[in-house]
Every structure is written in C-alpha cells, then in structure tokens.
Amino acid sequence: MGRTRPEAEKVAVRTELGILEGKRMTSDTPCSCDCFVSVPPASAIPAVIFAKNSDRPRDEVQEVVFVPAAMHPPGSRLQCTYIEVEQVSKTHAVILSRPSWLWGAEMGANEHGVCIGNEAVWTKEPVGEGEALLGMDLLRLALERSSSAQEALDVITGLLERYGQGGSCREDPTPFCYHNTFLLADRTEAWVLETAGRLWAAQRIPEGARNISNQLSIGTDISAEHPELRAQAQAQGWWNGQDTFHFAQVFSLTQQPVRMEAAKARFQVGQELLRQQQGGITAEVMMGILRNKESGICMDSGGFRTTASMVSILPRDPTQPCVHFLTATPDPSRSVFKPFIFGVGVIQTPQVLSPTFGAQDPARTLPRFQTQVDRRHTLYQSHQTALGLMEKNQAQGQQLWQKQQALEQEGLEAVRRLLAGQQTLPLQEWGGLFQTFVERESQVYA
C-alpha cells in the first residue's frame, strides 16, 4: 500500500494499456467476458438462472472437466497454475469450463449448486506481474471448497488476502495480467465480488437480474468489503473520506482506454436485454443473450472470440437437480448447449478433454510459453470442421445449424419435463446425460 496516488495510477494505466516489460499488447488482446444472473422474481420459474460467455484468444481451447469430490490428508499441498496452496480436508465435485493450459477455470459449478464466472478488470491499484493465484484459480478453489455463494465469496477473499492474485492469464510469452470480478450464484441468491489487488467489495443480489462486463460496477450498495478498503482509498487520495463512498467511481481508472469504453457499452446492452425479459428469464433467454453478436456479447473480432459458454438452472426446490448447459466449443451462435447434472456415476467425457503434455508442457517449463502445442480435443476438432462447412456452403451450413438446434431443444425439453415433474430420470442416468449429448453432437458432425 506504499505507492503514492500518481505512481499507482501511472502503473495501473500503463498495465491496462498493455505496456508490460517494454512491450505493447496488440489490439487483439483478450479483454472481454459477460456474466448474467436472474434471481426470482426476474426468472420465469422458481430458480436462479446463471450464464456466462468466456471471451479468450481465438485459438485457445476450452475443455470441460469433471473433478469428483475427494478427501485429502492433513498437510497436503495443492499445485495451482503457478503456485502451491494448502489443501483442505475435503473438496466438492465440480464441473469446469477452462482454458486447457491452466489449472483453474473460466466458469463452473459444484455439486451443491454453486456457480461462478470471472472477468478481467483493471483499477487504480497496480497489477503485479509476479506469479500468484489467477482469478481462474480462485474460481475453482471456491467451487471446490464452498456449499453456497456467500461461502464461495469468503473462500475467494480469504485466499486473495493470503496469496494475492497475479501471473499471466494467457498462453503467450508476452505477459497479460489483470485483476478480477466474479459473479457467484446458488439456489437462493447471487453475489457480485469485485477486486482491486487484495482489496475488494461485494454486493448481494437477493432478487432481480444483474450482469458484469469487465469493469467495476458496484456503487454505494456494498454488502461486504475489505476492512482496509476505504482507508486505502483515502490514503491514496482517491476518496476524501467525506463524500458517499462509491466503489466503482473511487477505484476505476481515471483514463479509460477505448476497449474499456466498449465494455461499458456491452454492460449497458446486457442490462437492457435483462430488463426486457424481467419476470420471464429462462435458460433459453440466457442462451439467446449469449448469442447476441450485434452487442459484442457473442464476441468474434480479430484475435479473440467467445471460446466457450455456460448456462445453469438452479431450482429453489432442493429436491430438484441443478442443470448446467455447457458448449465446450467456440461461438455459442453456432454451438450446442448440452445439459450436465451431478448424479451417480458421473465420469469425465473424453471427447471434451484436451491432450496433456506433462512436464514438457510449455505452460510449465521456464521460461513459460516459448512454444505452442495442439490442445484441441475431439469435439473441438469436429466442431471446427463444421464451422468451416457453415462458412463455405450456406445450404449445408443451414442444415447443420438446424440439426444443432434440434439437438439442443431436445436437451432443453428433457430438462423442462424433469423440473416440471413430468418425467423421472433415475439418478444413475443423470450422470451420463452430458456424455450422451456430446456423443450425439459428434454424430451430427460426422
């Protein structure tokens, strides 16, 4: 906390503009994601609806990974993307959508119905280039260690205080570092958590719809905060200690780069799309929002795009299963959302698991990211071939899209009947649902 105000702003602005180690980031730097949540009565059904688009480097592969619950001996250590942390005695089962080169995840859910998505953010607090926990590591750790959204928030803030956040967030020799915002949801409520270094503020969302888009969005409605948040702001001259404390205004960069203005526009469009559907938000509505290209929410520009998407239904009724729809492929406007349910016999779906490279992985060898490896999983490769067909042959592309939509609608209808009590599905079949739909999607492309 020793930097003066001019020094802190100078470092933060320089990092945000992409000047790291004397190198300027290109205009294709990944810098956008969008998360959405609907809490009753905004939802059309008695359920919390969660959604996220993960916008990343165009050629980055996201895999869908299932990690079962586990017990760990006392004193265990856990290797995350860059650093080790202390392991807890018990971790929950999780389903993760993650860039295949790292340990954490861009979005995911656990067996208790907790969902989390994270986004990049830059603030007046300088971004450190030293390796620590990535925001994506914090996300996975929270899912593995929490049984509610509020508990997940406590896990993240506790780890943030102890280990900090830092390290490059892309598979490239030029560092790309940022701080993080998170949207956390469970069956009853949601939380927005926004960080600036080790500092943070959180807002509880007990009802209604909310979104986040690569910028600080918490104002005066702060439900919880770091104990030193206001003292740091006052010490740096960002807040006079007398005016109403507005987190976003106090900690946001004074000079906003063009791409952050674009994030602001996306945030406003997302707000409006949610407002238009208030009281009628469903999983399908969320999928439609994630597919909105005109707003940039469905990103496909230059060197980055939406590389994976997720929508979750978290019923208020604890006897009903939570359902998580994941694409495991880029561009939700040309992908299939496939249902996953935690149940007996869940195993890893091999078609959405990327190859591994062990100790020779360029993400592990030092210096990092000096070479490239092919991380494409089977479904990703088939989907890329299908995208090529869609672009080259309009008639065949339309037929393929119709088949994708028919398969997706079949999954949505099965989930609707299940949650409405019109169809029973044995517990042992829940675990194989995602596998079944992945296999059927592969058949469509074959």
Side-chain angles (χ1 to χ4, degrees):
M1 295 187 182
R3 292 186 188 272
T4 65
R5 178 182 178 183
E7 287 174 331
E9 284 224 30
K10 184 177 180 181
V11 172
V13 171
R14 186 173 69 247
T15 303
E16 159 53 16
L17 290 174
I19 306 173
L20 293 168
E21 293 186 352
K23 300 178 181 179
R24 179 174 293 276
M25 303 289 285
T26 70
S27 60
D28 292 338
T29 297
C31 58
S32 59
C33 286
D34 294 276
C35 291
F36 304 86
V37 71
S38 172
V39 182
S43 308
I45 59 174
V48 173
I49 313 293
F50 170 91
K52 180 184 176 180
N53 267 355
S54 172
D55 300 337
R56 300 281 301 171
R58 169 171 291 275
D59 295 326
E60 185 178 80
V61 179
Q62 278 202 37
E63 58 183 354
V64 173
V65 180
F66 170 72
V67 183
M71 300 298 294
H72 308 279
S76 296
R77 303 286 294 176
L78 173 65
Q79 179 64 52
C80 300
T81 302
Y82 296 128
I83 68 168
E84 280 190 354
V85 300
E86 291 183 0
Q87 181 60 284
V88 294
S89 60
K90 180 181 180 181
T91 50
H92 307 305
V94 296
I95 187 75
L96 307 169
S97 184
R98 71 177 189 187
S100 55
W101 62 270
L102 52 78
W103 181 84
E106 274 278 294
M107 51 201 169
N110 71 18
E111 60 185 307
H112 299 290
V114 179
C115 294
I116 311 177
N118 83 305
E119 306 201 3
V121 69
W122 295 266
T123 73
K124 292 175 182 174
E125 282 291 315
V127 176
E129 296 173 29
E131 293 184 346
L133 289 174
L134 296 179
M136 293 170 278
D137 293 338
L138 291 166
L139 186 155
R140 176 173 173 178
L141 287 163
L143 288 175
E144 291 186 342
R145 300 178 180 197
S146 65
S147 56
S148 71
Q150 186 169 1
E151 187 178 359
L153 185 149
D154 293 339
V155 170
I156 292 174
T157 56
L159 290 166
L160 193 61
E161 180 68 24
R162 182 167 184 181
Y163 297 102
Q165 56 181 322
S168 185
C169 300
R170 71 172 186 174
E171 193 178 10
D172 190 276
T174 302
F176 178 60
C177 308
Y178 51 74
H179 292 158
N180 292 266
T181 64
F182 302 86
L183 184 60
L184 311 94
D186 60 25
R187 292 178 183 266
T188 62
E189 63 182 8
W191 285 79
V192 173
L193 170 62
E194 299 184 338
T195 72
R198 279 182 162 85
L199 303 175
W200 56 271
Q203 179 186 12
R204 179 174 175 261
I205 315 297
E207 61 180 26
R210 184 70 153 84
N211 63 310
I212 58 174
S213 297
N214 299 111
Q215 59 184 313
L216 299 180
S217 61
I218 296 175
T220 59
D221 186 7
I222 301 174
S223 306
E225 64 186 70
H226 190 284
E228 298 177 12
L229 180 70
R230 301 186 192 214
Q232 167 71 347
Q234 195 168 359
Q236 295 288 5
W238 302 333
W239 178 57
N240 61 18
Q242 301 298 319
D243 295 340
T244 301
F245 185 81
H246 187 292
F247 177 69
Q249 290 180 1
V250 170
F251 277 87
S252 292
L253 288 166
T254 304
Q255 295 177 287
Q256 292 285 0
V258 173
R259 69 184 184 206
M260 295 304 290
E261 291 298 326
K264 184 185 297 183
R266 250 183 20 256
F267 174 71
Q268 292 170 346
V269 171
Q271 276 187 318
E272 178 60 22
L273 291 172
L274 290 173
R275 188 196 65 79
Q276 292 173 2
Q277 299 290 340
Q278 281 278 352
I281 297 175
T282 62
E284 286 180 275
V285 167
M286 286 296 199
M287 291 174 189
I289 292 175
L290 297 185
R291 285 171 166 147
N292 190 302
K293 282 186 176 289
E294 184 179 1
S295 64
I297 291 171
C298 181
M299 178 64 62
D300 190 0
S301 176
F304 59 102
R305 64 176 171 181
T306 300
T307 55
S309 305
M310 172 179 167
V311 173
S312 296
I313 304 173
L314 314 175
R316 285 279 171 87
D317 183 350
T319 66
Q320 293 185 326
C322 295
V323 185
H324 312 284
F325 294 87
L326 302 109
T327 61
T329 54
D331 190 351
S333 70
R334 296 184 291 179
S335 287
V336 179
F337 283 92
K338 299 166 283 293
F340 174 93
I341 300 177
F342 287 95
V344 177
V346 178
I347 58 173
Q348 174 65 50
T349 300
Q351 295 94 330
V352 295
L353 192 64
S354 293
T356 58
F357 301 92
Q360 301 306 311
D361 193 307
R364 296 186 182 182
T365 57
L366 298 177
R368 303 187 196 276
F369 311 125
Q370 300 301 301
T371 59
Q372 294 286 324
V373 291
D374 187 355
R375 301 187 188 275
R376 295 175 300 165
H377 51 70
T378 304
L379 183 65
Y380 183 97
Q381 295 183 50
S382 300
H383 181 260
Q384 290 301 99
T385 302
L387 287 188
L389 178 63
M390 287 179 171
E391 293 168 358
K392 292 179 181 177
N393 189 310
Q394 186 173 359
Q396 287 184 314
Q398 183 63 25
Q399 291 178 355
L400 186 57
W401 167 240
Q402 290 171 352
K403 290 180 180 179
Q404 285 181 319
Q405 283 297 283
L407 180 60
E408 181 175 288
Q409 284 300 317
E410 187 178 333
L412 283 163
E413 183 58 31
V415 169
R416 273 194 292 267
R417 293 196 303 269
L418 179 65
L419 296 181
Q422 298 170 355
Q423 174 180 318
T424 58
L425 192 65
L427 276 172
Q428 58 268 26
E429 292 186 24
W430 289 5
L433 196 62
F434 185 72
Q435 171 82 45
T436 297
F437 275 85
V438 167
E439 290 175 350
R440 293 187 58 191
E441 182 181 4
S442 299
Q443 292 169 3
V444 168
Y445 301 146

